Amino acid sequence: MKEYKKPLPEIQPWSKKFWEGAKQHKLLIQECRDCGAKIFYPRKVCSECWSPNLFWSEASGKGKIFSYSVTMAGVEDKFVEDLPFVLALVDLEEGVRMMTNIVNCKPDEVSIGMDVEVVFEDVTEDITLPKWRPVTR
């Protein structure tokens, strides 16, 4: 595996299961046992009722682009080879929103409302990043 030079996530105890799932190419989100809220990004307590009674469930890996931005320039040197790239907010079928990169398509082909699906990039032996690509029909 080639050396990965970009920043890596700092795994916290409350996000460890998310990253373990990603390593297995599974997209996990939290759910609250008390109020039923679905939660993303990983937290210690429910963002709706503040209950610590959370569990993990596997998401469908399907969503729609809510909003996006195309980065053309002005990035740190370690990101220059990725230009241009798309940073997007994706609404998952489960009702949570995730910030991510859109991959496997040209930036000018991305659109709000576009159907996307999760893909996983194994960037180190320990870290796998979820990203999203257009759904091909």
Side-chain angles (χ1 to χ4, degrees), residues 64-70 86-91 97-100 102 110-114:
K64 289 186 181 292
I65 294 177
F66 172 78
S67 186
Y68 70 96
S69 176
V70 178
V86 178
L87 183 63
L89 293 172
V90 171
D91 287 338
R97 185 170 287 159
M98 176 182 285
M99 183 176 286
T100 187
I102 304 298
V110 175
S111 63
I112 291 174
M114 175 184 271

Side-chain angles (χ1 to χ4, degrees), residues 40-104:
F40 186 84
Y41 56 90
R43 302 174 194 219
K44 295 179 189 178
V45 297
C46 176
S47 55
E48 297 295 320
C49 73
W50 298 96
S51 169
N53 196 8
L54 306 178
F55 69 98
W56 292 92
S57 64
E58 187 172 355
S60 67
K62 305 287 183 197
K64 289 186 181 292
I65 294 177
F66 172 78
S67 186
Y68 70 96
S69 176
V70 178
T71 303
M72 304 293 288
V75 297
E76 293 183 47
D77 290 344
K78 56 188 137 204
F79 294 99
V80 168
E81 67 185 37
D82 297 334
L83 292 173
F85 62 84
V86 178
L87 183 63
L89 293 172
V90 171
D91 287 338
L92 279 65
E93 285 184 346
E94 291 75 17
V96 297
R97 185 170 287 159
M98 176 182 285
M99 183 176 286
T100 187
N101 290 106
I102 304 298
V103 296
N104 299 342

